[in-house]
Amino acid sequence: MRDYKWLHEYCLNRFGSTAALEARLPQPCSDAELRALSDDRYLSTISLRIFRAGLKHSLVDAKWPVFEQVFFAFDPEKVVLMGAERLENLMQDARIIRHLGKLKSVPRNAQFVLDVRREKGSFGALIADWPVTDIVGLWRYLAKHGSQMGGLSAPRFLRMVGKDTFIPSDDMVAALKAQNIIDKVPTSLKDRAAVQAAFNQWHVQSGRPLCQLSMMLAYTVNH
């Protein structure tokens, strides 16, 4: 595995200057910002990620104001009370995306948010306090306790709310393969631990957040 210096030099050569590179890199939210985000916004973003999966994002986003309306602005205390009959009725509402499995995930994830609130004080506290040196552990926690949060949904949700994370996109996986860190998509605990260890090393070497390192790696392929 090459060190961070190689990655930085590669990206500088690709984009021509430090300013051009920095302009392309995301910034994670602070722990205070993650804590300040309300539980209803976390539930809304979890749900948005789930409905985006497999669909054109712009299509889902255009319908999201109606989702906010029919799901009581994603107030978890209200959403958790939505029963099967209410969800079946929503299947007749042409204004939203009528996917029963995804619709059912919303009250289930409302219960998840409420469970975390009881334990941590707020969902934001869980997200803010989780160490980025074990971000794959947070992916696993979200997939285990949430509904339809497996695969790329957990890391993409975290990126959407601003939690620092890498995302094993196709390009990033290709870059990790080229560095002989993994030889396939990292779905096993072993492979995810190997990826986490590599990112932790690059983070120490560079001081950069994981999200920036993730994007820089992706820039080393397919251009």
Side-chain angles (χ1 to χ4, degrees):
M1 181 180 74
R2 298 183 188 179
D3 62 17
Y4 169 74
K5 183 179 180 181
W6 164 81
L7 179 60
H8 186 240
E9 289 179 350
Y10 186 101
C11 290
L12 278 182
N13 289 334
R14 175 171 177 179
F15 296 111
S17 70
T18 298
L21 171 60
E22 297 297 334
R24 294 173 176 268
L25 300 179
Q27 289 289 343
C29 289
S30 67
D31 289 349
E33 290 171 321
L34 293 169
R35 285 180 178 277
L37 194 63
S38 59
D39 287 346
D40 60 277
R41 292 306 86 201
Y42 277 110
L43 179 58
S44 177
T45 309
I46 289 171
S47 303
L48 177 59
R49 168 54 209 161
I50 290 169
F51 276 91
R52 277 181 174 181
L55 295 175
K56 190 175 181 181
H57 291 186
S58 60
L59 170 66
V60 181
D61 294 353
K63 293 178 177 289
W64 208 248
V66 180
F67 276 86
E68 291 278 350
Q69 176 185 337
V70 301
F71 282 107
F72 309 104
F74 290 95
D75 180 338
E77 293 185 346
K78 294 179 180 179
V79 173
V80 77
L81 300 176
M82 297 176 70
E85 183 177 354
R86 170 69 174 165
L87 296 176
E88 288 288 351
N89 288 339
L90 288 179
M91 287 292 290
Q92 312 307 315
D93 192 336
R95 300 174 301 163
I96 66 171
I97 296 165
R98 292 173 287 181
H99 185 294
L100 186 58
K102 293 184 177 186
L103 289 171
K104 286 180 176 179
S105 76
V106 183
R108 290 170 181 166
N109 282 321
Q111 184 63 62
F112 173 38
V113 169
L114 291 174
D115 290 343
V116 171
R117 178 195 290 178
R118 279 192 291 271
E119 181 180 353
K120 304 288 186 179
S122 70
F123 201 82
L126 169 74
I127 302 300
D129 290 345
W130 201 285
V132 296
T133 51
D134 180 36
I135 201 65
V136 296
L138 182 53
W139 299 358
R140 188 165 60 251
Y141 182 92
L142 293 170
K144 178 179 178 180
H145 297 283
S147 176
Q148 298 206 23
M149 288 295 285
L152 290 178
S153 285
R156 291 199 182 281
F157 154 70
L158 293 173
R159 178 67 60 82
M160 289 165 71
V161 297
K163 176 69 173 179
D164 192 19
T165 187
F166 52 84
I167 297 177
S169 64
D170 290 345
D171 284 351
M172 202 195 83
V173 169
L176 292 170
K177 288 179 180 178
Q179 296 300 310
N180 296 315
I181 295 167
I182 52 174
D183 57 13
K184 61 183 183 300
V185 175
T187 55
S188 69
L189 292 177
K190 179 182 178 182
D191 284 346
R192 287 187 172 185
V195 176
Q196 180 78 67
F199 271 88
N200 289 349
Q201 179 175 319
W202 291 323
H203 172 69
V204 169
Q205 292 171 345
S206 68
R208 287 189 179 274
L210 306 185
C211 59
Q212 293 185 2
L213 295 167
S214 178
M215 189 164 288
M216 290 171 73
L217 270 176
Y219 284 144
T220 66
V221 297
N222 293 340
H223 65 90

